[in-house]
Amino acid sequence: MITLKNVNKSFASLKVLNDISVNFEAGKTNLIIGQSGSGKTVLLKSIIGLHEIDSGKIFYSDRDFTAMNLKSRKNIRQEMGMVFQGGALFDSMSVEENVLFPLDMFSKMSDTEKMDRVNFCLNRVNIKNSNHLYPTEISGGMQKRVAIARAIALNPKYLFCDEPNSGLDPVTAIVIDNLIQEITKEFNMTTIINTHDMNSVMEIGEKILFISKGFKAWEGTKEEIFDTDNQALNDFVFASDLYQKIKKVNR
Amino acid sequence: MGLFEHVGKFSKFLVLVVSKPEKGKTFFSHIIKEIHKLGINSIGIVVIISLFMGAVIALQTAYNMQNPLLPDYLVGYTTRESMLLEFSSTIVGLILAGKVGSNIASEIGSMRVTEQIDALEIMGVNSANFLVLPKIIAAVFINPFLYILSVFVGILGGLFAGYLTGTVAVSDFIYGVQFGFIPYYISYSLIKTCVFAFIITAIPSYYGYFVKGGALEVGKASTKAVVNSSILILLSNLILTQILLK
Ligand SMILES: Nc1ncnc2c1ncn2[C@@H]1O[C@H](COP(=O)(O)OP(=O)(O)OP(=O)(O)O)[C@@H](O)[C@H]1O
Ligand SMILES: [Mg+2]
């Protein structure tokens, strides 16, 4: 579980996050949704400490992340995995080396154990016979899957995904979404996903935080989203004609 | 950003760079890789440039010595002194600043804009140390060898040029190369070479590491890195010469 208490973050005079308090639950896919520029990426990067927050507190299962020194943060980071918006695979390494990397750096496994783990993770995300290809030689969808494999290599307790299915076709997007959800359940991780894809919301939105202009505007589940009176959320979620119709049918 | 801000930010960056590496084994294999990338891959350009510069220095000296009282062996002497003192350290340093510097800045810069550096950080790896320290160590280690290679090839170039054009006899040239040799000049130039090796790896790494934006900014950072490391090489050349040869 990850808990945020009154988190504020600004860049120079630009206030990006305003007093955000929320609970992200373990074993669930927690979604952060909002318009482009609303602060999703900044929020995610603040949670993992790539941005220093101005005020507020962040707890990882009751451990106060904000109060930790560099060394304890480093330790807790080995319990985190992250899938970046563009995949962020290391260009200079093959698929296999990318997944092997965190194991090489931080695990005490033997070489064969490490390779077993690499192949387990790649298998888990359905990447086969591509171990020796380089990131530029595989498709965008495959890159995302390798990124997921790398993120789960060290068996993280916390998984973060920044728009894991942006730039993918609808079918592959759903495959990725479902994969993340399955992995979350399988390993009881606390997973936080940034998205502005409504399909994802409907597919895996077990817990949803809607932010608008840096404020927490709404939180709930995908079922509750149909009954909301929140104007900003309505405008965001039911922007498309299709979802307008779905909403009508649902009511 | 002003000069002082850069100096402050660069110092902080260096503190991150110069810390204990995560894993000794990985670190060592990275140094070997960088020695290959930065050193071995630069041998070609260093040889070509040194050969031609040595030849040109020899010919210029020969054609400028109209006075019959000046002995022919001075051509060999001048070629050696130019290569040893200035060319093989400073000019090769400047050329490597272009080749190696732009390479490093764009490599690290593109890692920054594609969030690969963030990916390292979130894993708990000190990215500055992981990416930059092997480069600095590799260059400071291998560049003195490039320097020695350059001196030798330059002198050979001068020798060939003198011989092929018939301006200086081989024996005169070789006598000149050995004439009035001051071993300290080699130490002086090796010190310079190591300082330059630090500059051409650390400065471009710094520019690459703090890139913000996209591919366009990476290109700009790479240009800035080359220009500024070249200026720093010239400046430190002046300072080191004043300190070491006074
Ligand atoms: N490093 C930074 N320095 C200054 N401002 C920043 C920085 N990062 C983000 N911002 C600003 O913070 C705001 C929120 O950006 P953020 O990237 O979080 O949006 P987002 O919700 O992730 O958008 P998208 O859906 O397009 O990815 C934007 O106005 C952006 O310009
Ligand atoms: Mg974003």
Side-chain angles (χ1 to χ4, degrees), chain B residues 101-102 105 207 216-230:
Chain B
S102 61
Y207 278 101
L216 194 68
E217 282 76 14
V218 173
K220 280 186 198 155
S222 155
T223 310
K224 262 193 211 156
V226 173
V227 170
N228 289 325
S229 43
S230 302

Side-chain angles (χ1 to χ4, degrees), chain B residues 60-92:
Chain B
Q60 280 181 355
T61 318
Y63 294 141
N64 278 308
M65 290 196 325
Q66 305 294 1
N67 190 335
L69 286 177
L70 291 176
D72 271 0
Y73 68 74
L74 272 188
V75 176
Y77 173 77
T78 310
T79 307
R80 184 201 74 209
E81 291 290 275
S82 311
M83 296 306 293
L84 207 66
L85 278 171
E86 205 47 35
F87 182 81
S88 297
S89 51
T90 311
I91 308 288
V92 168

